[in-house]
Amino acid sequence: MKIIAASADRRPAPRLPSPPASRIVALASDRAIQDAFFAAAIVLARIPANLGMAGAAAGLAFMSLYAVLRVDQCVDALKRCRLQLAYPALALFSVAWAVHPLVTGRAAVQMTLTAFAGLLISQAIRPRTVLIGLFAAFAGYSVCSLLAGHTRPDGITGAPALFGLGGEAKNYFADSSSTAVLLAIVMVAVCLERRAIALAFASGAVAMACIVATQQARSAGALASLTIATALLLVLMVLRQRPPVWKAGFAAALVATFVLCALLFQPLLALVQELTSKDAGLTGRGYLWFRAEYIIAERPWLGTGYFGFWTPRNPDAIGLWRYFDIRQEGTAFSFHNSYIQTMVETGYVGLFVLAGTWIAGVLALLRRFVLTPSLPTCFWLSYLALELSKSPVEPIRPAALVAPTVMLFAALGFGWFPIARRRCSD
């Protein structure tokens, strides 16, 4: 009896529930949750315009800390996505022939860091969790901006146009709210897969609020691009579980449509002007493009150097600012065309490199779509449709320390995310 009693005394004590603090620590140490946090923090630091230098410093700090914590992921990004670093490398090299080397050098370094942050996010081990973080950032900001209701008179009609809570212009805010719409649709699909019906309805309500925010921004281009991207996303989500032959046929049709749109750009642009009631010059773009022809002819192959045109040191830039009654320090101004802007800054060589890397990224994503039922792949393809459909009339290109550049490179880099790794979370 004594032996039995002694052995009973040596039984392990019952395990007590873990205190809440230990659960929080476990969640904070989860690699996937860290990825979602850094993705959200990086883009959120670079959306509000009124954060200024503080926002830029915060964005760089988050990018740097994320890279330090993810050395292995940095190596993966460099190996897998090295092709997408071709244009940032060209921008850095353009210091050698830049008209304003200091301006070009500073902007090129900042843009390269921004681009690499996007590639780093694209290689996060659980892509769906990254999308949740991005959804929290973009949707939260867009809904808050809608509730705040800050408006300015639209430059064309004079109607009140919603702008972002952080003071950014209507087109930039409309880009953020459009991105939020696509992310919210993906969240609806994720919630339905997990049979979280209440969360699916909540995500749907957020999507509707972000659509309203985009419409209130009075950006006809953003609405048109959002319509295209949303339609594509819905079709991709319907097809993603279908046989590869079906998806390959749809991918081929997408490529053919893209080529056809490129060949018929002028008639399509005229149609957009008519549908959106734009003036013949497309709010001044006609004159900008006319002047750009002469500027490109002066340095056709290598351009003025990355970010080397819109600077107060350039007489041509000052003349255009005065023509459009814009403050001279408004270096955020552009030629409102991604390809013209690229040719002005980095010439025909830069345009070839940029277009080549974009095409390679899209083809890599289409390959992933054909071979996997990946929901993140559907989102990133639709995001590229959202951005690239605006590229002929907006400056959709690699820029320094802005959220769209992070997202653009995350989309382009995701095409090289390994297909076999953690398919359940892809």
Side-chain angles (χ1 to χ4, degrees):
M1 293 296 294
K2 290 183 179 179
I3 294 174
I4 295 175
S7 62
D9 291 338
R10 288 195 296 270
R11 290 176 183 172
R15 297 181 65 182
L16 298 175
S18 300
S22 64
R23 294 176 184 174
I24 295 174
V25 172
L27 287 173
S29 61
D30 188 300
R31 184 180 179 114
I33 292 177
Q34 290 177 3
D35 290 331
F37 168 78
F38 278 106
I42 288 169
V43 298
L44 195 56
R46 298 312 307 135
I47 294 176
N50 59 10
L51 291 180
M53 291 298 296
L60 283 172
F62 283 125
M63 293 175 194
S64 302
L65 181 58
Y66 189 35
V68 169
L69 294 175
R70 294 287 185 273
V71 175
D72 58 332
Q73 203 165 303
C74 288
V75 174
D76 289 340
L78 287 171
K79 287 181 178 179
R80 299 169 186 163
C81 312
R82 56 187 178 274
L83 181 62
Q84 294 303 325
L85 291 171
Y87 188 78
L90 178 64
L92 290 170
F93 283 126
S94 71
V95 175
W97 63 81
V99 177
H100 305 289
L102 292 179
V103 173
T104 293
R106 181 175 63 252
V109 169
Q110 292 175 347
M111 183 270 284
T112 301
L113 293 174
T114 310
F116 188 73
L119 296 178
L120 192 58
I121 289 171
S122 76
Q123 301 304 304
I125 196 168
R126 290 179 60 185
R128 286 195 181 194
T129 309
V130 168
L131 295 188
I132 293 173
L134 294 173
F135 167 71
F138 280 102
Y141 184 80
S142 300
V143 171
C144 288
S145 297
L146 179 63
L147 294 176
H150 296 161
T151 61
R152 298 190 187 108
D154 180 56
I156 302 172
T157 64
L162 184 69
F163 64 94
L165 189 63
E168 61 276 5
K170 65 167 191 172
N171 286 344
Y172 189 86
F173 171 68
D175 184 83
S176 299
S177 58
S178 300
T179 302
V181 173
L182 299 180
L183 287 164
I185 293 173
V186 171
M187 290 303 106
V188 170
V190 170
C191 293
L192 289 177
E193 281 185 0
R194 299 181 180 181
R195 299 184 180 179
I197 305 302
L199 288 177
F201 274 109
S203 298
V206 170
M208 293 304 298
C210 293
I211 291 173
V212 172
T214 306
Q215 188 275 329
Q216 291 296 315
R218 312 288 179 188
S219 176
L223 282 173
S225 295
L226 178 58
T227 302
I228 294 170
T230 301
L232 176 62
L233 177 59
L234 294 175
V235 174
L236 291 173
M237 290 196 302
V238 169
L239 290 176
R240 71 187 184 93
Q241 300 285 359
R242 299 295 180 181
V245 174
W246 288 33
K247 295 192 287 184
F250 182 72
L254 277 180
V255 173
T257 301
F258 173 78
V259 173
L260 187 63
C261 289
L263 294 175
L264 299 176
F265 169 70
Q266 290 298 338
L268 289 173
L269 181 60
L271 178 62
V272 170
Q273 289 179 252
E274 182 179 351
L275 293 176
T276 57
S277 300
K278 298 283 188 181
D279 58 43
L282 200 60
T283 62
R285 288 175 172 85
Y287 180 72
L288 279 169
W289 298 346
F290 171 76
R291 289 287 301 127
E293 291 181 13
Y294 295 93
I295 295 167
I296 292 169
E298 293 176 358
R299 302 170 69 93
W301 291 104
L302 297 176
T304 62
Y306 176 75
F307 205 73
F309 183 84
W310 297 108
T311 170
R313 300 179 183 178
N314 185 358
D316 288 329
I318 294 172
L320 289 171
W321 285 329
R322 290 178 178 173
Y323 179 86
F324 289 100
D325 194 25
I326 293 174
R327 294 177 304 169
Q328 181 172 314
E329 60 269 22
T331 54
F333 199 57
S334 74
F335 285 98
H336 292 282
N337 180 297
S338 306
Y339 312 104
I340 291 176
Q341 184 76 33
T342 300
M343 285 189 288
V344 168
E345 294 183 353
T346 51
Y348 296 135
V349 173
L351 179 63
F352 175 80
V353 172
L354 183 69
T357 55
W358 282 3
I359 292 171
V362 171
L363 292 178
L365 278 172
L366 287 174
R367 174 179 175 272
R368 287 199 97 253
F369 170 70
V370 171
L371 297 179
T372 73
S374 167
L375 190 56
T377 301
C378 298
F379 166 75
W380 289 120
L381 276 170
S382 67
Y383 179 78
L384 286 179
L386 177 73
E387 297 300 304
L388 298 185
S389 61
K390 294 184 290 187
S391 62
V393 292
E394 294 292 341
I396 308 300
R397 64 189 185 93
L401 299 178
V402 292
T405 296
V406 176
M407 295 291 288
L408 182 64
F409 277 87
L412 294 169
F414 190 68
W416 282 274
F417 184 75
I419 291 175
R421 177 185 287 186
R422 291 184 179 267
R423 180 172 293 185
C424 61
S425 65
D426 190 8

